[in-house]
Amino acid sequence: MTKVARLYEGTETAGKREAILNAALRLFTERGFHGTAMPSVAELAGVGAGTIYRYFESKEALVNTLYRDWKNFQITTILKDVPEETPLREQFRIYWNRLVEFAAEFPIAFGFLELHFHAPYLDEESRAMEERGHNALVSFFQHCLRQQIVKNLPPEMLGALVVGAYVGLVKASRAGCFQLTQEMIDQAEACCWEAIRR
Amino acid sequence: MTKVARLYEGTETAGKREAILNAALRLFTERGFHGTAMPSVAELAGVGAGTIYRYFESKEALVNTLYRDWKNFQITTILKDVPEETPLREQFRIYWNRLVEFAAEFPIAFGFLELHFHAPYLDEESRAMEERGHNALVSFFQHCLRQQIVKNLPPEMLGALVVGAYVGLVKASRAGCFQLTQEMIDQAEACCWEAIRR
Amino acid sequence: MTKVARLYEGTETAGKREAILNAALRLFTERGFHGTAMPSVAELAGVGAGTIYRYFESKEALVNTLYRDWKNFQITTILKDVPEETPLREQFRIYWNRLVEFAAEFPIAFGFLELHFHAPYLDEESRAMEERGHNALVSFFQHCLRQQIVKNLPPEMLGALVVGAYVGLVKASRAGCFQLTQEMIDQAEACCWEAIRR
Amino acid sequence: MTKVARLYEGTETAGKREAILNAALRLFTERGFHGTAMPSVAELAGVGAGTIYRYFESKEALVNTLYRDWKNFQITTILKDVPEETPLREQFRIYWNRLVEFAAEFPIAFGFLELHFHAPYLDEESRAMEERGHNALVSFFQHCLRQQIVKNLPPEMLGALVVGAYVGLVKASRAGCFQLTQEMIDQAEACCWEAIRR
DNA sequence: CATGAATGAGTTTTCATTCAT
DNA sequence: GATGAATGAAAACTCATTCAT
């Protein structure tokens, strides 16, 4: 059983709701929001078409739940348990590895979050979650800036470059350009740090 | 200059085909392929709904034409007129600036190409065009590798990191995180080079 | 007193069947038969959706039970305890007052019976009940005709005019056009008698 | 060709819109608003299901158009060309006859207007039209009251009794209780006048 | 050529009814 | 007996595509 499924397994409500969310995650990622028909979600989830509406008010509610849950999970997974006193260079390494691990362990969710970044059908709450991730990123680079260990550039720009490189790397590896070994991940991390370090 | 480029010039000379491509570019970028109704494309283009089908066999044919035309235009624009003997470090600077200029001059087309990267409704020919861009990128970094001026990493990976950083930068600036000045563009270019240089 | 009547009394003694009939009466009257969802009936009745089907075979069976019970109750209430020897003019007064009282005491049931008059989903038995009320009406006016105290018109027509006036009066008062006082009820009764008396 | 059809034939838009309105009029009257499926309207109208939505925004818009058009037509038909100086007793006779004629010539529309009186899906504008008819009625009886030729009762009540009797009469004749001859119509008119005259 | 009205297959969503608990 | 989650058929509505004008 993959970890993908496990995000939606902990609760005792169990079963249908998780099946729907997992089916929707896959189909929305593969075909996009408007390209996915609700009956196809139901079929993949192994439930009746009407059943989805017992758990989610609408298709939009479904995609938003998915976005919030996964974005929240991603942020939590990446930020958890890093002692404040850890050197920032070391923190950078940790976050980088966690980002890559997240994409490796939850490839569909990674694709989903990428595809739905800033999508017009995301609601207030989903956007707030997006914002939360963004703030954590900016906050880290502000910290780096204060310690003068990175180039004197806007923290948003530093974040954009590093996260952009991360996304590019993962997408390219997923497109089959290369297989990501731990060595390559480490090398990429080194590249990114060198890109921004003072 | 191709017809694709002319779409963004004066509309008085534009034929119906251009008007349709123009309208479709905007709507597909804003709402996605499945989220865009053909009649809405017709309306924005100022033509009858049936007229689209005189120029394009289907909605898929339209999006593929758009993808091919713009991808081709992007590749051509970025690669043109760089003498082989130009130092690679200088070539890198040129390509970087052209990428950023392209995104600035054709922001909708940039968004369109990003959004439709690897979309399931793109056909063989469109994928071949994608491949062509990819090959040019890889080829450049192979050249760099042979001259041992960049880190000894797969050229696809070097490309992924740099282009990823570029995409991240442009998207962040478009999301309103910051305004891209020439100085920042130059600084970002320096970052990217430092990321990969040996 | 039948169970139908008891529905409008204290709810603490009411069984589930009564609760369902009560809820259905209100919702069918407010939103119509097809406009009312069975789960909404269940919710208002405070029972599970499946429970309705322990008491009624289908939605049609429910509306027919309701129609029959209330039509029967209406007829019974209006006709009861009028000695045959009572002068017909006096009987007319009695019936008129009982009709108005019925509409005042059971306004929802009055609306329900009006709305469902001749509805296509009423079954044989419900139509027979409708017929029974009609026959009582016609029979009364035949009696009047035999005594030559009313105009020499078909009894059905006399009934239609008087009952029509009654329905019009009640509906108008319910629409808020005026408040029905006993004086007005008496005056209306006088009008109706003058309409048909010889 | 019946007059029912003719209400929607005068315009040069012709054809589909009228066919849809006429089909909807029949089905809404026979089965009610919620009991009528849009595809069944389309089928009876002899058009595609999607075509209805080229002419009417929604099912509600369709029923409201129908209600407004017919209510307006009814009011106009009944009130037209009655010189102010006509004696009120004579006006009463004219209006009565026109009401009955309307119901005879447009039996489905009569049923439609009766069934949808005060329906919850009627919009502001439709209710305003309802009000307009009501006002004309009240206004007539106020005139009668001022001339002291009718009983001293609220004009709304006089109207409710007379119109109620009219509706009862028509409904009964339509239910097959009797065939309405001109003689009977005249007699009914006499009844109604006697009901309210001073 | 250009149009846009017309279409019907497909979409999202609802709801009468069932059935395992 | 009572429940309410589950269902799938059918509802309202949309839209890619066609074709008569």
Side-chain angles (χ1 to χ4, degrees), chain C residues 36-39 50 53 58-59:
Chain C
T36 301
M38 288 294 262
Y53 291 85
S58 65
K59 197 182 180 185

Side-chain angles (χ1 to χ4, degrees), chain B residues 38-97:
Chain B
M38 288 294 262
S40 72
V41 173
E43 196 190 16
L44 185 60
V47 304
T51 305
I52 297 179
Y53 290 86
R54 300 223 140 261
Y55 297 96
F56 305 96
E57 262 206 352
S58 65
K59 198 183 180 185
E60 291 215 354
L62 175 57
V63 79
N64 275 283
T65 299
L66 221 34
Y67 190 85
R68 282 199 292 271
D69 283 0
W70 277 106
K71 193 77 202 172
N72 182 50
F73 177 66
Q74 183 192 39
I75 295 169
T76 308
T77 306
I78 281 149
L79 297 184
K80 72 170 174 200
D81 299 333
V82 177
E84 263 196 58
E85 63 275 18
T86 316
L88 289 174
R89 178 67 191 87
E90 179 57 21
Q91 282 190 30
F92 184 84
R93 209 180 326 267
I94 291 168
Y95 293 142
W96 176 268
N97 274 292

